[in-house]
């Protein structure tokens, strides 16, 4: 039977997947999806997880509400309203992030290390020239909403730089499943691992 991961399980896998990439703690990790933005503050012996209704599709729909045109002012007011009661500390200069939209922004910027200045440059370029054609049509439609979310979240948490990291949830999940599968032998164990990897990659 297939069981959908809970939000807490996904957050724990996110923390473990990023652990080896964190230079220091506490650190802030963002997982920007279509429907939600998950933030995880990873401390030395504690974690703080928060889920906000700031997914890129959500923001895009708010910005285009009751109209086919994109209204950035409407989207930004919504983002700021969602952040009003969101957790703010600790104030750290470096924030780590994952998600398809973050990947697209880093591709357009030409670097996985996105300072506020670089995000502003990308935004101005997109305003002048539009979103690059080499991105998929689906990705182009949610590019600006994602850019706005990242910029406002960085300001909110006092961040100066956003570091994109390609994160495979399936890889981390498999690391947690391996001890269980060691109780099986040979080909049977391999078959179980292959099947789970296909399901969760």
């Amino acid at each position: 039977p297939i069981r959908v991961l809970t939000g807490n399980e996904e957050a724990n896998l996110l923390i473990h997947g990023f652990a080896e990439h964190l230079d220091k703690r506490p650190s802030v990790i963002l997982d920007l999806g279509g429907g939600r933005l998950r933030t995880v503050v990873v401390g030395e012996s504690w974690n703080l997880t928060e889920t906000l209704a700031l997914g890129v599709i959500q923001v895009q729909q708010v910005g285009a509400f009751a109209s086919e045109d994109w209204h950035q002012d409407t989207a930004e007011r919504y983002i700021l309203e969602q952040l009003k009661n969101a957790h703010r500390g600790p104030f750290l200069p470096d924030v780590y992030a994952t998600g398809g939209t973050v990947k697209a922004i880093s591709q357009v910027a030409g670097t996985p290390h996105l300072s506020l200045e670089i995000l502003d440059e990308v935004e101005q370029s997109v305003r002048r020239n539009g979103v690059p054609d080499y991105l998929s049509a689906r990705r182009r439609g949610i590019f600006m909403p994602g850019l706005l979310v990242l910029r406002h979240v960085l300001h909110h948490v006092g961040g100066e730089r956003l570091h994109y990291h390609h994160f495979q949830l399936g890889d981390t999940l498999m690391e947690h499943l391996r001890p269980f599968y060691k109780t099986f032998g040979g080909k049977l164990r391999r078959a179980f691992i292959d099947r789970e990897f296909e399901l969760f990659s």
Side-chain angles (χ1 to χ4, degrees):
I2 296 175
R3 180 175 63 81
V4 177
L5 296 175
T6 67
N8 286 336
E9 288 172 326
E10 185 179 359
N12 288 333
L13 291 169
L14 179 66
I15 293 167
H16 286 290
F18 261 101
E20 62 185 72
H21 302 283
L22 296 178
D23 298 326
K24 56 186 176 181
R25 298 187 183 206
S27 289
V28 181
I29 302 170
L30 306 178
D31 181 22
L32 180 58
R36 294 288 183 267
L37 170 71
R38 182 175 295 278
T39 67
V40 184
V41 181
V42 182
E44 291 294 344
S45 58
W46 53 272
N47 302 313
L48 175 63
T49 303
E50 187 170 27
T51 302
L52 303 171
L54 286 176
V56 289
I57 295 176
Q58 177 94 355
V59 174
Q60 191 276 335
Q61 291 176 340
V62 169
F65 180 70
S67 170
E68 293 183 0
D69 297 325
W70 164 255
H71 297 282
Q72 182 165 323
D73 291 345
T74 302
E76 291 201 82
R77 285 197 300 271
Y78 173 77
I79 294 170
L80 291 172
E81 185 65 27
Q82 294 299 311
L83 289 174
K84 187 180 296 182
N85 298 316
H87 183 75
R88 294 184 65 87
F91 295 100
L92 302 170
D94 293 282
V95 177
Y96 300 85
T98 188
T101 300
V102 187
K103 177 182 179 181
I105 293 171
S106 71
Q107 286 178 328
V108 173
T111 176
H113 308 293
L114 305 167
S115 65
L116 284 169
E117 292 76 14
I118 290 176
L119 289 176
D120 286 339
E121 289 174 6
V122 171
E123 183 176 342
Q124 294 307 315
S125 174
V126 168
R127 285 178 183 277
R128 290 191 306 269
N129 309 313
V131 182
D133 290 337
Y134 57 77
L135 295 178
S136 68
R138 175 179 173 273
R139 191 62 63 192
R140 290 197 302 271
I142 55 179
F143 187 89
M144 185 59 81
L147 194 61
L148 295 178
V149 170
L150 293 179
R151 179 161 58 78
H152 282 293
V153 169
L154 270 181
H155 280 296
H156 183 77
V157 302
E160 299 173 3
R161 294 169 296 275
L162 187 76
H163 304 281
Y164 166 70
H165 176 68
H166 181 63
F167 176 75
Q168 288 282 9
L169 185 62
D171 292 346
T172 304
L173 181 60
M174 284 308 305
E175 290 303 315
H176 286 265
L177 291 175
R178 285 185 197 282
F180 169 75
Y181 289 126
K182 286 180 181 177
T183 62
F184 295 93
K187 294 181 179 179
L188 177 62
R189 183 179 68 208
R190 184 71 255 170
F192 269 76
I193 291 177
D194 288 342
R195 179 174 179 274
E196 294 294 341
F197 186 81
E198 289 175 3
L199 287 173
F200 289 101
S201 292

